[in-house]
Structures are given as C-alpha cells and as structure tokens.
Amino acid sequence: MSTSTTAGGRRTPRAHCVADASGAVVFEVVGAGAALVLRRAGAGSAGQEVRLPLTDAGDGTAKAVLEAGTELAEGRWEVFTASGEAVEPGVRDLRALVDLTPEADRIAVRVPYPTAAGGLAVRCWLRAPHAEAGDIGLPPGRGSMSVEGLLYGTELGDGAVAEARLSSGGRVHAVPVTGEGRAFGFTLPYASIADSAGGKEQLWELWLRPTADAEGIRVSRILDDVWDKKGIFVYPKQRTDSGLAGPCYTGDNDLCVRVTATD
C-alpha cells in the first residue's frame, strides 16, 4: 500500500523512496497529484522549495526523482503534495548510503527520514571541503579522545591542527594533526578544555585546519544512512579533575566534546 487512511476515511499520500549513492532520491507515491514539493524547514527558509514532477509508472503509482544535480541548500526539506498536504514516509531503501566513499571533492548527501510529526523529509548536507570523522578512540584512564578520518576536497599540509572551539565563542584549543594526504588523526586531552568549565556544562565543536593558513573545516560524520546521530552514537564519558567529558554528535551530525561539571 502507498497510502494510509485516517479516522475520517481520507487517504493520506505515502511515499516509498530509494536513495542513491550519487545523491539522487526516487519517490514512489499514490494520490499526490501532479508533483511533490520539497520545502526547506527552519528559520529563514520561507519560500525555499523545489518542485518534482510526478510521472505515471503504469502500475497505479507515480514516480518523482530528486536528481543528484538538483541544488538543495544544506538543511531539512519536508515533502508535500502539490496541494500542500504532508506526505507520510513509506519504505525507505537507504542501503546505497551505508559507508559512502564519494570520489567528488564537493560532498552532497541526501537522507530521507521520518519526522517527529510523522511526515517525510530529506536531510541534506553540502560540504566543500569536508572532514569526515571515522574511528573515535577512548583510551582507558588517559582522559582523552582520538579521532581518525578522511578529508575531501583538500589534503594535509604544513602546520595542520585540529581545534576544539567553545560553541558559545571566545575560546579555542589546538592540537597537532598526524597523517598524510587525505587521512588525518588527532588526540585531544580533555584536561585542556574541561578544567576551564567553571562549574558549567560546555559544548566544544571540533574543527580541522589542514594547513597553518587554511580556514577551519567542521569535523562531521555524514557519509552513511543515519540522519541524526545525536541519540544513536553515544560514547562513554571520562572523569577529569573538574567533571566529566566525552565525545558526542549534534543533531546535524557534527562532532563535539561535551563537558559536564560534577559536584
């Protein structure tokens, strides 16, 4: 079935979708009219939408394609019918997104997902250059974390550093980066950031500067099928002299360190 029925007997459009490693998404839907409309959610996004024409597939369904080359700003795009009705998520085939290894320097990722309100949306990332987080190590008893990853669109050079930036601004702590070419690694001792918490919870964003004079690149993990890692990739915290510290992901899949003061 590609539709569901409400208590009042109205049939709500439901879209099955298949995501491709190239960034394309194919929607299969019944009862959506002439087109699907993707509208960007969030503050300052009013009026941003992309219209995807529906084509009769000949089996009672219609298909719409979000092409890989279609420009979508980074963010969350909710799916509606042409008449403005929210579309429910059906089966989402995301197998092609698992362990993505794109060859392009410009990274464009689209992950269909169910919203908290029960609708269908597409989470989009657009990064150039990009620092993809891989393995995260938590050596026992050392009060530190290590990060390995790959760069896209740039390579390591002289003076490469990783930076922990306090999300509220004002403080930056840098550590050296190891690696060669696109592969990077670094270790962040928690004491360097946790002991300045002053009894407050702090969130430190992780950035990478591939050369001494380069702009910072946000360290994130977006090359897979998990649209929100915040509550899924959970890591243990380690005790410091002034509290607890441990890695975490934001709702946008950006890597951070959360420092929590203890009594």
Side-chain angles (χ1 to χ4, degrees):
M1 291 292 291
S2 295
T3 60
S4 62
T5 304
T6 67
R10 180 175 56 83
R11 297 176 70 81
T12 302
R14 175 181 294 170
H16 306 310
C17 48
V18 179
D20 187 88
S22 70
V25 180
V26 178
F27 300 89
E28 179 184 287
V29 64
V30 169
L36 292 181
V37 178
L38 274 59
R39 294 176 183 161
R40 192 177 178 207
S45 301
Q48 297 186 42
E49 65 178 40
V50 173
R51 189 180 181 90
L52 305 177
L54 282 162
T55 303
D56 188 356
D59 59 357
T61 67
K63 290 187 178 181
V65 181
L66 173 61
E67 300 286 357
T70 301
E71 287 291 332
L72 284 183
E74 182 163 322
R76 301 175 187 273
W77 293 76
E78 298 177 340
V79 183
F80 297 89
T81 66
S83 61
E85 186 176 8
V87 175
E88 291 183 348
V91 176
R92 293 172 296 112
D93 186 349
L94 308 181
R95 289 173 293 178
L97 303 182
V98 178
D99 296 327
L100 281 175
T101 54
E103 297 180 0
D105 291 342
R106 183 173 182 266
I107 304 300
V109 179
R110 285 86 173 263
V111 183
Y113 72 97
T115 69
L120 176 64
V122 180
R123 180 62 172 95
C124 300
W125 285 272
L126 193 61
R127 303 282 172 94
H130 171 58
E132 177 74 3
D135 291 338
I136 296 177
L138 301 171
R142 296 188 184 180
S144 65
M145 63 178 286
S146 63
V147 180
E148 296 180 352
L150 284 176
L151 289 167
Y152 292 85
T154 189
E155 294 187 347
L156 293 179
D158 294 338
V161 295
E163 294 180 340
R165 301 181 182 180
L166 188 61
S167 61
S168 58
R171 297 198 60 228
V172 177
H173 180 77
V175 295
V177 170
T178 60
E180 184 178 0
R182 292 174 50 223
F184 69 84
F186 62 87
T187 298
L188 176 67
Y190 292 143
S192 60
I193 58 175
D195 293 344
S196 64
K200 299 179 181 179
E201 181 174 279
Q202 294 181 339
L203 191 67
W204 292 78
E205 301 172 348
L206 297 184
W207 296 73
L208 190 141
R209 290 199 290 124
T211 63
D213 58 352
E215 295 291 329
I217 305 169
R218 192 71 169 88
V219 181
S220 309
R221 188 165 181 171
I222 60 176
L223 298 179
D224 56 28
D225 61 336
V226 183
W227 65 92
D228 184 350
K229 295 180 172 65
K230 186 175 182 179
I232 297 176
F233 284 37
V234 179
Y235 299 93
K237 296 180 179 179
Q238 297 185 39
R239 185 169 294 280
T240 71
D241 290 342
S242 59
L244 299 172
C248 65
Y249 283 99
T250 69
D252 293 321
N253 290 357
D254 295 327
L255 184 59
C256 296
V257 178
R258 188 178 302 278
V259 176
T260 306
T262 57
D263 296 332

